[in-house]
């Protein structure tokens, strides 16, 4: 619907890749609906994935012993986080929907995107115990993981060699997004695009565009272990 804000966090080195095309389709389709779309192109931004002392620009809360979690929490409170983090947090704060677009690396997201999670989702901003899971600080937002795999759909089936793809989604969707209070839409998975015809890859793009047309009508998944492990 018009006026909705979307942040696409995108991690691929090549714009001509299927991931690049999926990102482009999302920007086009959502913009057509009147949404305002922002893209964080992590490789293009040369986003820093490492959580270091540099993330705090002023004095440390405890200069005797460095504790990243405590230091970023305190820096967030007093406005002492580095610029790149403040920028990303602003984008997250404004977004109604977060789309993560990436190729699956080793059953997980690429390091540059994991670094985005590690650094941007600061305590006090995204979660603050006991305010986590359903009461996480980013409630009222939606997230969607859209990714490509090397393995086929059969490999990622329950009885397949790689196990159910949902096991892989547990740390990302539940451990990160749901922990921060974000509701999660069903993932969008393009299986083994490298091993299919050009025609099939076009169909993958068309299917994504189709889904985006009715995305706002979708119900989030059941945010419980059952969805992943039943």
């Amino acid at each position: 619907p018009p006026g909705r804000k979307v942040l696409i966090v995108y991690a691929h080195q090549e714009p001509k890749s299927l991931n690049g095309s999926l990102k482009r389709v999302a920007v086009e389709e959502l913009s057509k609906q009147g949404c305002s779309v922002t893209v964080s192109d992590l490789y293009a931004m040369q986003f820093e994935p490492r959580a270091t002392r540099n993330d705090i620009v002023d004095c440390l809360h405890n200069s005797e012993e460095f504790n990243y979690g405590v230091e970023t929490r305190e820096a967030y409170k007093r406005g002492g986080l580095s610029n790149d983090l403040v920028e990303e947090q602003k984008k997250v704060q404004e977004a109604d929907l977060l789309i993560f677009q990436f190729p699956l690396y080793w059953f997980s997201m690429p390091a540059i995107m994991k670094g985005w999670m590690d650094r941007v989702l600061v305590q006090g901003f995204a979660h603050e115990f006991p305010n986590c899971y359903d009461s996480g600080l980013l409630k009222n937002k939606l997230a969607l993981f859209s990714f490509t795999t090397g393995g086929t759909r059969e490999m990622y089936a329950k009885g397949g060699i790689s196990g159910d793809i949902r096991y892989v989604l547990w740390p990302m969707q539940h451990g990160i997004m749901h922990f921060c209070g974000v509701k999660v839409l069903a993932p969008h998975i393009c299986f083994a695009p490298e091993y299919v015809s050009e025609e099939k890859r076009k169909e993958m793009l068309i299917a994504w565009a189709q889904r985006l047309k009715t995305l706002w009508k979708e119900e989030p998944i059941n945010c419980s272990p059952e969805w992943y492990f039943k």
Side-chain angles (χ1 to χ4, degrees):
R4 297 269 174 105
K5 289 192 161 71
V6 182
L7 171 62
I8 301 175
V9 182
Y10 162 69
H12 200 288
Q13 309 86 337
E14 175 51 67
K16 295 197 200 87
S17 64
L18 184 68
N19 273 277
S21 300
L22 288 159
K23 183 260 296 174
R24 198 171 55 251
V25 164
V27 171
E28 285 167 9
E29 187 50 52
L30 292 163
S31 302
K32 222 184 290 178
Q33 296 174 18
C35 300
S36 76
V37 185
T38 305
V39 177
S40 285
D41 181 340
L42 300 181
Y43 286 105
M45 292 155 69
Q46 299 193 357
F47 187 81
E48 168 61 80
R50 293 169 299 184
T52 69
R53 160 74 181 87
N54 299 340
D55 293 348
I56 298 101
V57 292
D58 52 7
C59 295
L60 290 179
H61 176 68
N62 172 4
S63 51
E64 296 302 299
E65 194 178 322
F66 186 72
N67 177 321
Y68 186 81
V70 170
E71 292 299 343
T72 49
R73 180 190 72 205
E74 294 303 317
Y76 174 72
K77 278 194 231 168
R78 59 173 194 266
L81 287 174
S82 63
N83 250 348
D84 57 343
L85 294 194
V86 174
E87 283 299 294
E88 294 307 298
Q89 288 175 346
K90 208 179 292 164
K91 295 175 195 173
V92 170
Q93 198 65 67
E94 290 179 356
D96 299 299
L97 167 67
L98 308 167
I99 295 178
F100 297 96
Q101 181 65 60
F102 59 97
L104 197 67
Y105 281 8
W106 296 116
F107 278 32
S108 187
M109 57 187 88
I112 200 165
M113 184 176 279
K114 177 57 162 57
W116 186 95
M117 305 285 181
D118 292 351
R119 295 178 64 229
V120 175
L121 303 174
V122 168
Q123 189 177 350
F125 167 67
H127 58 92
E128 183 71 275
F129 193 81
N131 294 321
C132 49
Y133 290 118
D134 290 342
S135 58
L137 303 181
L138 300 182
K139 55 183 178 294
N140 306 327
K141 295 187 188 301
L142 292 168
L144 193 167
F145 286 83
S146 170
F147 59 95
T148 57
T149 67
T152 61
R153 188 184 293 271
E154 293 67 45
M155 289 167 80
Y156 282 110
K158 215 186 193 81
I161 184 103
S162 300
D164 194 331
I165 192 70
R166 291 184 179 200
Y167 304 156
V168 170
L169 289 159
W170 170 253
M172 299 191 264
Q173 292 187 164
H174 188 79
I176 305 177
M177 284 297 118
H178 184 205
F179 186 82
C180 296
V182 180
K183 292 187 176 63
V184 180
L185 295 174
H188 198 85
I189 309 166
C190 293
F191 288 99
E194 279 174 84
Y195 305 106
V196 301
S197 65
E198 193 50 50
E199 199 45 51
K200 277 269 183 291
R201 280 197 291 273
K202 283 211 179 74
E203 282 168 24
M204 288 175 173
L205 294 177
I206 292 165
W208 178 223
Q210 277 310 113
R211 180 175 175 192
L212 288 162
K213 285 191 201 316
T214 55
L215 195 68
W216 301 101
K217 295 196 178 78
E218 291 186 18
E219 285 298 313
I221 66 165
N222 156 22
C223 282
S224 71
E226 285 84 76
W227 189 87
Y228 300 88
F229 302 110
K230 65 170 185 282

